[in-house]
Coordinates of all heavy atoms in Angstrom, one line a residue:
A1189 N 38.2 180.6 9.1 CA 37.6 179.8 8.0 C 36.9 178.6 8.5 O 37.5 177.8 9.3 CB 38.6 179.5 6.9
G1190 N 35.7 178.3 8.0 CA 35.0 177.1 8.4 C 34.0 177.4 9.5 O 33.1 176.6 9.8
D1191 N 34.1 178.5 10.2 CA 33.2 178.9 11.3 C 31.9 179.4 10.8 O 31.7 179.6 9.6 CB 33.8 179.9 12.2 CG 34.9 179.4 13.1 OD1 35.1 178.1 13.1 OD2 35.6 180.2 13.7
S1192 N 31.0 179.7 11.7 CA 29.6 180.2 11.4 C 29.3 181.5 12.1 O 29.9 181.7 13.2 CB 28.6 179.1 11.7 OG 28.7 177.9 11.0
L1193 N 28.5 182.3 11.5 CA 28.0 183.5 12.1 C 26.5 183.6 11.7 O 26.1 183.2 10.6 CB 28.8 184.8 11.6 CG 30.1 185.1 12.3 CD1 30.7 186.3 11.5 CD2 29.9 185.4 13.7
R1194 N 25.8 184.3 12.6 CA 24.4 184.6 12.3 C 24.2 186.1 12.4 O 24.4 186.7 13.5 CB 23.5 183.9 13.2 CG 22.0 184.0 12.8 CD 21.1 183.2 13.8 NE 19.7 183.2 13.3 CZ 19.2 182.4 12.5 NH1 19.9 181.4 11.9 NH2 17.9 182.5 12.2
L1195 N 23.9 186.8 11.3 CA 23.6 188.2 11.2 C 22.1 188.4 11.4 O 21.3 187.6 10.9 CB 24.1 188.8 9.9 CG 25.5 188.6 9.5 CD1 25.9 189.3 8.2 CD2 26.5 189.0 10.6
S1196 N 21.8 189.5 12.0 CA 20.4 189.9 12.2 C 20.2 191.3 11.8 O 21.0 192.2 12.0 CB 20.0 189.7 13.7 OG 18.6 190.0 13.9
C1197 N 19.0 191.6 11.2 CA 18.6 192.9 10.8 C 17.3 193.2 11.5 O 16.3 192.5 11.2 CB 18.5 193.0 9.3 SG 17.9 194.6 8.7
A1198 N 17.3 194.2 12.3 CA 16.0 194.6 13.0 C 15.4 195.8 12.3 O 16.2 196.8 12.0 CB 16.3 194.9 14.4
A1199 N 14.2 195.8 12.0 CA 13.5 196.9 11.3 C 12.5 197.6 12.3 O 11.9 196.9 13.1 CB 12.7 196.3 10.1
S1200 N 12.5 198.8 12.2 CA 11.5 199.7 12.9 C 10.7 200.5 11.9 O 11.2 200.9 10.9 CB 12.2 200.5 14.0 OG 13.1 201.4 13.4
G1201 N 9.6 200.9 12.3 CA 8.7 201.7 11.4 C 7.6 200.8 10.8 O 6.8 200.3 11.5
R1202 N 7.7 200.7 9.5 CA 6.7 200.0 8.8 C 6.9 198.5 8.9 O 8.0 198.0 9.1 CB 6.6 200.4 7.3 CG 6.1 201.8 7.0 CD 6.1 202.0 5.6 NE 5.3 203.2 5.2 CZ 5.2 203.7 4.0 NH1 5.7 203.0 3.0 NH2 4.5 204.8 3.8
T1203 N 5.8 197.7 8.7 CA 5.8 196.3 8.6 C 6.5 195.9 7.3 O 6.4 196.6 6.3 CB 4.4 195.7 8.8 OG1 3.9 196.1 10.0 CG2 4.5 194.2 8.7
F1204 N 7.1 194.7 7.3 CA 7.8 194.3 6.1 C 6.9 193.6 5.0 O 7.4 193.2 4.0 CB 8.9 193.3 6.4 CG 10.2 193.9 6.9 CD1 10.6 193.8 8.2 CD2 10.9 194.6 6.0 CE1 11.7 194.4 8.7 CE2 12.1 195.2 6.5 CZ 12.5 195.1 7.8
S1205 N 5.6 193.5 5.3 CA 4.7 192.8 4.4 C 4.7 193.4 3.0 O 4.7 194.6 2.9 CB 3.3 192.7 5.0 OG 2.8 194.0 5.2
L1206 N 4.7 192.6 2.0 CA 4.7 193.0 0.6 C 5.9 193.6 0.1 O 6.0 194.2 -1.0 CB 3.5 193.9 0.3 CG 2.1 193.4 0.7 CD1 1.0 194.4 0.4 CD2 1.8 192.1 0.0
Y1207 N 7.0 193.4 0.9 CA 8.3 193.9 0.4 C 9.3 192.8 0.3 O 9.1 191.7 0.8 CB 8.9 194.9 1.4 CG 8.2 196.3 1.4 CD1 7.1 196.5 2.2 CD2 8.6 197.3 0.6 CE1 6.4 197.8 2.2 CE2 8.0 198.5 0.6 CZ 6.9 198.8 1.4 OH 6.3 200.0 1.3
T1208 N 10.5 193.1 -0.3 CA 11.6 192.1 -0.4 C 12.7 192.7 0.5 O 13.0 193.9 0.5 CB 12.1 192.0 -1.8 OG1 11.0 191.5 -2.6 CG2 13.3 191.1 -1.9
M1209 N 13.3 191.8 1.3 CA 14.5 192.1 2.1 C 15.7 191.4 1.6 O 15.6 190.2 1.2 CB 14.2 191.7 3.6 CG 13.1 192.5 4.2 SD 13.5 194.3 4.3 CE 15.1 194.3 5.3
G1210 N 16.8 192.1 1.6 CA 18.0 191.5 1.0 C 19.2 191.7 1.9 O 19.3 192.7 2.7
W1211 N 20.3 190.9 1.7 CA 21.6 191.1 2.2 C 22.6 191.4 1.1 O 22.6 190.6 0.1 CB 22.0 189.9 3.1 CG 21.3 189.8 4.4 CD1 20.2 189.1 4.7 CD2 21.8 190.5 5.6 NE1 19.9 189.3 6.0 CE2 20.9 190.1 6.6 CE3 22.8 191.3 6.0 CZ2 21.0 190.5 7.9 CZ3 22.9 191.8 7.3 CH2 22.0 191.4 8.2
F1212 N 23.4 192.4 1.3 CA 24.5 192.7 0.4 C 25.8 192.8 1.2 O 25.8 192.9 2.4 CB 24.3 194.0 -0.3 CG 23.1 194.0 -1.3 CD1 21.8 194.1 -0.9 CD2 23.4 193.9 -2.7 CE1 20.8 194.1 -1.8 CE2 22.3 193.9 -3.6 CZ 21.0 194.0 -3.1
R1213 N 26.9 192.7 0.5 CA 28.2 192.8 1.1 C 29.1 193.6 0.3 O 29.0 193.7 -0.9 CB 28.8 191.5 1.5 CG 29.2 190.6 0.3 CD 29.6 189.2 0.7 NE 30.0 188.4 -0.4 CZ 30.3 187.1 -0.3 NH1 30.2 186.5 0.9 NH2 30.7 186.4 -1.4
Q1214 N 30.0 194.3 0.9 CA 31.0 195.2 0.2 C 32.3 195.2 0.9 O 32.4 195.5 2.1 CB 30.5 196.6 0.1 CG 31.3 197.5 -0.8 CD 30.6 198.8 -1.1 OE1 29.8 199.3 -0.3 NE2 31.0 199.4 -2.2
A1215 N 33.4 194.8 0.2 CA 34.7 194.8 0.7 C 35.4 196.1 0.2 O 35.0 196.7 -0.8 CB 35.5 193.6 0.2
P1216 N 36.4 196.6 0.9 CA 37.0 197.9 0.5 C 37.5 197.8 -0.9 O 38.2 196.9 -1.3 CB 38.2 198.0 1.5 CG 37.8 197.2 2.7 CD 36.9 196.1 2.2
G1217 N 37.2 198.9 -1.7 CA 37.6 199.0 -3.1 C 36.9 198.1 -4.1 O 37.2 198.1 -5.2
K1218 N 35.8 197.4 -3.6 CA 35.0 196.6 -4.5 C 33.6 197.0 -4.5 O 33.1 197.8 -3.7 CB 35.1 195.1 -4.0 CG 36.5 194.5 -4.0 CD 36.5 193.1 -3.6 CE 37.9 192.5 -3.7 NZ 37.9 191.0 -3.4
E1219 N 32.9 196.5 -5.5 CA 31.5 196.9 -5.7 C 30.6 196.2 -4.7 O 31.0 195.1 -4.2 CB 31.0 196.5 -7.1 CG 31.8 197.3 -8.2 CD 31.5 198.8 -8.2 OE1 30.4 199.2 -7.9 OE2 32.4 199.5 -8.5
R1220 N 29.5 196.8 -4.4 CA 28.5 196.1 -3.5 C 28.0 194.9 -4.2 O 27.5 195.0 -5.4 CB 27.4 197.1 -3.1 CG 26.4 196.5 -2.1 CD 25.6 197.7 -1.5 NE 26.4 198.6 -0.7 CZ 25.9 199.6 0.0 NH1 24.6 199.9 0.0 NH2 26.7 200.3 0.7
E1221 N 27.9 193.8 -3.5 CA 27.6 192.5 -4.1 C 26.3 191.9 -3.4 O 26.2 191.9 -2.2 CB 28.8 191.5 -3.9 CG 28.5 190.1 -4.4 CD 29.6 189.2 -4.0 OE1 30.4 189.5 -3.1 OE2 29.7 188.1 -4.6
F1222 N 25.4 191.4 -4.3 CA 24.2 190.7 -3.8 C 24.6 189.4 -3.1 O 25.4 188.7 -3.6 CB 23.3 190.5 -5.0 CG 22.1 189.6 -4.6 CD1 21.0 190.1 -3.9 CD2 22.1 188.3 -4.9 CE1 19.9 189.3 -3.6 CE2 21.0 187.4 -4.6 CZ 20.0 188.0 -3.9
V1223 N 24.0 189.1 -2.0 CA 24.2 187.9 -1.2 C 22.9 187.0 -1.2 O 23.0 185.9 -1.6 CB 24.7 188.2 0.2 CG1 24.8 186.9 1.0 CG2 26.0 189.0 0.2
A1224 N 21.8 187.6 -0.7 CA 20.6 186.8 -0.6 C 19.4 187.8 -0.4 O 19.6 188.9 0.0 CB 20.7 185.9 0.6
A1225 N 18.2 187.3 -0.8 CA 17.0 188.1 -0.6 C 15.9 187.1 -0.3 O 15.9 185.9 -0.6 CB 16.7 188.8 -1.9
V1226 N 14.9 187.7 0.4 CA 13.7 186.9 0.8 C 12.5 187.8 0.6 O 12.5 189.0 1.0 CB 13.8 186.3 2.2 CG1 14.0 187.5 3.2 CG2 12.6 185.5 2.5
S1227 N 11.4 187.3 0.1 CA 10.1 188.0 0.0 C 9.5 188.0 1.4 O 9.4 186.9 2.0 CB 9.2 187.5 -1.1 OG 8.8 186.1 -0.8
W1228 N 9.0 189.1 1.8 CA 8.5 189.2 3.2 C 7.2 188.4 3.4 O 7.0 187.8 4.5 CB 8.3 190.7 3.6 CG 8.1 190.9 5.0 CD1 7.0 191.3 5.7 CD2 9.1 190.7 6.0 NE1 7.2 191.3 7.0 CE2 8.5 191.0 7.3 CE3 10.4 190.3 6.0 CZ2 9.2 190.9 8.5 CZ3 11.1 190.2 7.2 CH2 10.5 190.5 8.4
N1229 N 6.3 188.4 2.5 CA 5.0 187.8 2.7 C 5.1 186.3 2.5 O 4.4 185.5 3.3 CB 4.0 188.4 1.7 CG 4.3 188.3 0.3 OD1 5.5 188.1 -0.1 ND2 3.3 188.5 -0.6
R1230 N 5.8 185.8 1.5 CA 5.8 184.3 1.2 C 7.1 183.6 1.6 O 7.1 182.4 1.7 CB 5.6 184.1 -0.3 CG 4.2 184.6 -0.8 CD 3.1 183.9 -0.1 NE 1.8 184.3 -0.6 CZ 1.1 183.7 -1.6 NH1 1.7 182.6 -2.2 NH2 0.0 184.2 -2.0
G1231 N 8.1 184.3 1.9 CA 9.4 183.7 2.3 C 10.2 183.1 1.1 O 11.0 182.2 1.4
I1232 N 9.9 183.5 -0.1 CA 10.7 183.0 -1.2 C 12.1 183.5 -1.2 O 12.3 184.8 -1.1 CB 9.9 183.3 -2.5 CG1 8.5 182.7 -2.5 CG2 10.7 182.8 -3.7 CD1 7.7 183.2 -3.7
T1233 N 13.1 182.7 -1.4 CA 14.5 183.1 -1.2 C 15.2 183.0 -2.5 O 14.9 182.2 -3.4 CB 15.2 182.2 -0.2 OG1 15.1 180.8 -0.6 CG2 14.5 182.3 1.2
N1234 N 16.3 183.8 -2.6 CA 17.2 183.8 -3.7 C 18.6 184.0 -3.2 O 18.8 184.8 -2.2 CB 16.9 184.9 -4.7 CG 15.6 184.7 -5.5 OD1 15.5 183.8 -6.4 ND2 14.6 185.4 -5.2
Y1235 N 19.6 183.4 -3.8 CA 20.9 183.4 -3.3 C 21.9 183.6 -4.4 O 21.7 183.2 -5.6 CB 21.3 182.1 -2.6 CG 20.5 181.8 -1.4 CD1 19.4 181.0 -1.4 CD2 20.9 182.3 -0.1 CE1 18.7 180.7 -0.3 CE2 20.2 182.0 1.0 CZ 19.1 181.3 0.9 OH 18.3 181.0 2.1

């Protein structure tokens, strides 16, 4: 607790332009939960 981590997601195939990318998390027995999202072209973020 209190530490930091940096996660990375590498994409192959199509370019990310005009799409939204997001991070979700899921613990055992729980629903998948929204964490954050960013628009690929403008970099607009939501948390």
Side-chain angles (χ1 to χ4, degrees):
D1191 286 351
S1192 297
L1193 279 175
R1194 188 176 185 89
L1195 307 183
S1196 182
C1197 176
S1200 61
R1202 288 182 170 180
T1203 301
F1204 279 112
S1205 60
L1206 303 180
Y1207 288 91
T1208 298
M1209 295 296 301
W1211 285 95
F1212 292 79
R1213 64 189 183 186
Q1214 187 169 23
K1218 297 184 178 181
E1219 299 294 325
R1220 185 165 293 183
E1221 176 188 16
F1222 171 78
V1223 177
V1226 60
S1227 63
W1228 194 248
N1229 57 341
R1230 299 296 183 93
I1232 301 171
T1233 59
N1234 291 285
Y1235 297 94

